[in-house]
Every structure is written in structure tokens, then in C-alpha cells.
Amino acid sequence: MTTGGPRARYREQTRTEIKEIALRQLAEGGISAVALTRIAKELELSGPALYRYFANRDDLLGSLIGDAYQDLAAAIGEAAQASAKYTPRHRLLSLAGAHRAWAVAEPHRYLMIAGTPLPGYSAPPETLAQARAALGPFLPLFASAQPISAVLPVAEQMDTWVHQEPAVAAWVAQYLDTTDGADHALAGAVMAWTRIHGVVSLEVEGLYSGMGHQPQTLLEVEMNTLADTFRLG
Amino acid sequence: MTTGGPRARYREQTRTEIKEIALRQLAEGGISAVALTRIAKELELSGPALYRYFANRDDLLGSLIGDAYQDLAAAIGEAAQASAKYTPRHRLLSLAGAHRAWAVAEPHRYLMIAGTPLPGYSAPPETLAQARAALGPFLPLFASAQPISAVLPVAEQMDTWVHQEPAVAAWVAQYLDTTDGADHALAGAVMAWTRIHGVVSLEVEGLYSGMGHQPQTLLEVEMNTLADTFRLG
DNA sequence: TAACCATAGTTACAGTCTCTAACAGAAGCG
DNA sequence: CGCTTCTGTTAGAGACTGTAACTATGGTTA
């Protein structure tokens, strides 16, 4: 679609080069280490030239955030494919493990999407879709679940949500054959996401340092107890 | 202790004035909005004067982080006192609610301690103690718990931890009369902390926006299921 | 009381960074 | 071939952190 002339091609290539250097800076020094001037220097360009490719620094970071979301969603999607034939409980552990593995491998990118939001940055509408792409593979695991009654308050809120917003219903329909059990599926997905984020963000932020447990083990326990709560097989 | 002459008093007062302005900047624009030059301008001082009071920007932020930890720990401690006579399950909900209430009331301060770590900032040793002060009140709730077997992997890791590090044993002893059940207590506290962080950080970071549930409800469900897992009364 | 000196403040400046303005050259397109 | 658009340049404004060198002041002490 954007395959215009050779000019558009060159433009796209320069954009990716810029992003590659930005990713390296991100990996080395965190988000605040991403500096347009130093990227320009490395490309042997002069500072303002970069503004031909990204409107400003937030635009560049937003692009990185979008890529990161997509990568994470892809990693989870692959795990979902690979584990499709196993039990829901097994698949839940698999998806959670894939989520954590990605985050641990790319801590700064994970923090960019799951950590403190940028000061003035407001996520573009696509972000919502990308977040839902990452969450979607969790839905089928809980579709036919029979959660214990303690979960009902959340399931009820999910029920009204899916009935009020057609976009949500459409999203759920992508991952579920029937819309039956959408409330349980959404409740399970949100709770899984929440617990995974709890374990993984504390690990990646280094707040578990000096504590005597392995995040991997904790994550497995969290997912197993969640599977119990939803009475997964 | 630091009550030296009048000079030390004035110094301390200026430090708190600086921190007050910094807190306002933090509340208004997040951590990146805390700027020494603008603090100086507001105090009608010239920029470099502030370096008499804080070695550098990280030093100032570190001081704010320490205060925030202490405030959060105090809020949780108060909730523990106020709910001391109730059931462990009720107390767990109470402590979690206090944690969340503090975070929602002071989102930027919460993100400062629980969010993306500062680039070059490495927490001073006191931070560990402060984190443990916030976690301590959770310990007694789980001291005599009989968790389901799924939790055992974590409890075992906690057991070796408390046996290997005397500092941890001492910390646990502050909140538990007996060191019996320290493994369950630590496992429960860490899991509670993890789940609370999961819910609250997603809420504060705005990642729940556009989702059809109330964080408060979700937090209660998370704590109730945790209480189930530990078979709390 | 007078001298002293640590402290709190100053200006000047170096260096980094974002981003705008004005302009120059070159590649593509009709 | 000429026009236009895109890509790049230099110059510079403005915000920020942090250092260096210097000055004034007020508490402490002989």
C-alpha cells in the first residue's frame, strides 16, 4: 500500500534505521536514553534531519511502543498456536510463560508498554486494538469455564460491558466461536493479564531483587491457582 | 539528632520547601516535570543554589521516593491497626484497599516507587527496609494459614530464603510472634503484594481504561481468591 | 568584641537535548 | 527540460543539568 516510488522505499528504510538505533539506545539506557541528536550523530546526519522522518520524539517512541505491542502479541499468539491441542490449564501456563519470556528478554521494551506512561503521551487508538490482540488468545481458555462464585462480581461487569460495546463483542467473537461464556472468558483473560503483569512487572522493575523466590515459580503458582478458580481442566 | 544550630534548622526547612515544590511538579506533570531550574525560579533562587541542598536531581528524586515508601507503609500500617480485631480475610481486604487507596490518591508518587525504575538510579539500602515495612503487615495474616498444595513451590523457596538470610528472619520476627509458619506468611505476603501491584499498577497506569470493570471489584476478587488459596477464615 | 570560616548564595559557562526557521541541492515527475 | 517535492543543511532559540570561581553573611570562637 505504501509502496510508492523509490522515494517512499528509501524513506521507510531510513525510518527503520532510526528505529533500530533507538532500540539499541533503549536497551542500553532505558527510555530516557533515546535521544534524537545522538541517533542523528550515529547516522552521520545532522540533528534536525530526523524530523523529516518523525514529527518529534514522542512520535518515534510511539512507533517503538506500537512495534513492541505487536511483538508481544505475536509471541503470545505463537504460544497459543503451539499449545492449541493441550488442556486449558496447560495452555494458560504456556501463554503466561511466553508473555514473561518476552518481557524478560526485552525488559525496556516491556516497560515501555507496561510501565509508567510517558508524561504527555496519549496512546493512539491503534494501541487499544494491539492490547486486545495480546489479550485475545487468553479468551478461549476460559470460554467454557465454570468459575467459582467469588469471580462473579467481575464476570457480571464483563457481561454488561460486552453487551454495551459492540466493538468488544466483535473482538471477543474473533477468538470465540460462540458468544456464550463471553463474560467468563473476559473475566479470565483480564485476571490472567493482571496476575501476569503483577509478577512480570515486579520482576522486570527489579523489585523482587533480594527476595528469595523465583519469578517463574511464582508465575506458575499464580496461573495454577487461577486455573483452579476457573475450574479449568 | 540533626538539631544542630539554627543553620541546620534553616537548611532542613529549605530542603522541605524544595521537596514540596517538587511534589507539586510531580503531581502535575509526572517525574520528568520535576526540574531543578524551575524549582529554583519558584523559590526566587538561582539555579545552582539548589545544589547546596541536593547533590543532584537523582538525589532529590531519591528523597521523594523514600518519603513515598514511608507514606505507603504508614497507610498500610494504619489499616493493619484499624482492622486488627477482624478475620484474616477481612484484614487482607482492608490492607489491600488501603494500598490501592493510597496509590489512586497519589498516582505519580505510586508510579515513582512501583513503576519504571529511574535510568541510572539505584535504590539506597534503606529502600529495602522501607519495602519490607510496607510488606510486613501482611505477614501475620498468613502466619497460621493452611495453603493449598499449589502454593507449596513458592512456600518452599521462602523457607530456604528465611533460613539462609538472618536479616529476613529478623524482619519476619518483627511481625510474627513465632517463626513457625514463616514460609506460608512470606508466600502469602509476596503473593498479596504481587496481585495488588498487578491490579493497582494497571489501574494507575491507565491500562484498564476502556475496559468494562471496576478495579476495586477486581482487587476484592483477587484478594478473596487469595484468601481461599490460603484457606483464611 | 573582633577575627575567622563554613555556609548560602551569586554569575558565568560548558554541555546536552528538543525543536523551529530559513535555505540549498537533488531526485523524481510531468 | 523545468517544476515540485523531498531531503538535507546551518543557525539558533529555549530548557535543562551540572561545574567553577567568586562573594557576602552570619554563627562560632579566641
Side-chain angles (χ1 to χ4, degrees):
Chain A
M1 24 180 71
T2 353
T3 345
R7 226 153 187 177
R9 290 170 63 90
Y10 178 68
R11 178 180 181 77
E12 215 42 47
Q13 203 216 316
T14 309
R15 272 179 71 99
T16 58
E17 272 179 47
I18 291 170
K19 293 209 282 189
E20 276 168 17
I21 299 176
L23 274 180
R24 217 171 51 235
Q25 293 181 343
L26 180 72
E28 282 165 9
I31 216 169
S32 67
V34 178
L36 294 182
T37 61
R38 279 186 299 117
I39 293 175
K41 203 165 287 174
E42 199 161 328
L43 283 171
E44 292 183 314
L45 284 177
S46 236
L50 292 204
Y51 289 82
R52 299 287 176 199
Y53 299 95
F54 292 94
N56 50 41
R57 185 168 176 269
D58 271 11
D59 186 25
L60 170 58
L61 294 179
S63 176
L64 296 183
I65 290 173
D67 290 357
Y69 257 116
Q70 223 158 351
D71 269 26
L72 175 59
I76 294 174
E78 279 169 29
Q81 289 245 322
S83 66
K85 53 181 63 163
Y86 297 100
T87 64
R89 181 185 295 266
H90 183 110
R91 286 153 74 193
L92 177 60
L93 285 163
S94 172
L95 296 202
H99 189 141
R100 173 173 173 271
W102 190 90
V104 170
E106 316 248 22
H108 289 294
R109 292 178 79 198
Y110 184 74
L111 287 176
M112 208 168 37
I113 65 181
T116 306
L118 299 180
Y121 178 78
S122 67
E126 333 161 330
T127 311
L128 191 59
Q130 287 164 331
R132 284 177 180 166
L135 206 50
F138 286 92
L139 291 171
L141 314 187
F142 299 96
S144 55
Q146 299 294 326
I148 66 172
S149 61
V151 176
L152 290 187
V154 170
E156 281 170 20
Q157 293 179 1
M158 292 300 170
D159 199 52
T160 69
W161 183 39
V162 76
H163 279 95
Q164 279 182 352
E165 290 202 32
V168 175
W171 165 55
V172 172
Q174 281 187 343
Y175 295 90
L176 260 47
D177 296 333
T178 163
T179 54
D180 282 359
D183 53 345
H184 295 166
L186 284 167
V190 168
M191 285 182 72
W193 183 41
T194 301
R195 290 196 188 177
I196 294 169
H197 176 77
V199 174
V200 173
S201 71
L202 285 177
E203 177 183 10
V204 169
E205 287 162 1
L207 291 172
Y208 279 151
S209 72
M211 304 209 62
H213 69 282
Q214 301 213 327
Q216 168 78 26
T217 308
L218 179 55
L219 182 62
E220 284 165 9
V221 169
E222 284 288 75
M223 291 301 104
N224 266 318
T225 55
L226 182 65
D228 291 345
T229 298
F230 279 77
R231 293 202 188 97
L232 297 190
Chain B
M1 24 181 70
T2 354
T3 347
R7 225 149 186 180
R9 289 170 62 92
Y10 178 68
R11 178 180 180 77
E12 213 44 46
Q13 202 215 316
T14 308
R15 272 179 70 101
T16 59
E17 273 179 47
I18 292 170
K19 293 209 283 189
E20 277 168 17
I21 298 176
L23 275 180
R24 217 171 51 236
Q25 293 182 342
L26 180 72
E28 282 166 11
I31 216 168
S32 67
V34 178
L36 294 182
T37 60
R38 280 186 300 119
I39 293 175
K41 203 165 286 175
E42 197 161 331
L43 284 170
E44 292 183 315
L45 283 176
S46 237
L50 291 203
Y51 289 81
R52 299 286 176 199
Y53 299 96
F54 292 94
N56 49 42
R57 185 169 177 268
D58 271 11
D59 187 24
L60 170 59
L61 293 179
S63 176
L64 295 183
I65 290 173
D67 290 358
Y69 258 116
Q70 224 157 351
D71 269 27
L72 175 59
I76 294 173
E78 279 168 30
Q81 288 245 322
S83 66
K85 54 180 62 163
Y86 297 101
T87 63
R89 181 186 295 264
H90 183 111
R91 286 153 76 195
L92 177 59
L93 284 164
S94 173
L95 295 201
H99 189 140
R100 175 173 172 270
W102 190 90
V104 171
E106 315 249 21
H108 288 295
R109 293 178 78 199
Y110 184 74
L111 288 176
M112 208 169 35
I113 65 182
T116 306
L118 298 179
Y121 178 77
S122 66
E126 334 161 330
T127 310
L128 191 59
Q130 287 166 332
R132 283 177 181 165
L135 205 51
F138 287 91
L139 292 171
L141 314 186
F142 300 95
S144 54
Q146 299 295 326
I148 67 172
S149 61
V151 177
L152 290 186
V154 171
E156 281 169 21
Q157 293 179 1
M158 291 299 170
D159 200 53
T160 69
W161 183 39
V162 75
H163 280 96
Q164 279 182 352
E165 289 201 35
V168 174
W171 164 56
V172 171
Q174 280 187 345
Y175 295 89
L176 260 48
D177 296 334
T178 163
T179 53
D180 282 359
D183 53 345
H184 294 166
L186 283 167
V190 167
M191 285 181 72
W193 182 41
T194 300
R195 288 195 189 179
I196 294 168
H197 176 76
V199 174
V200 173
S201 70
L202 285 177
E203 178 183 10
V204 169
E205 287 161 1
L207 292 173
Y208 279 151
S209 73
M211 304 208 60
H213 69 284
Q214 301 213 327
Q216 168 78 26
T217 308
L218 179 56
L219 181 61
E220 284 165 9
V221 169
E222 283 290 76
M223 291 301 105
N224 267 319
T225 54
L226 182 64
D228 290 345
T229 298
F230 279 78
R231 294 205 188 94
L232 296 191

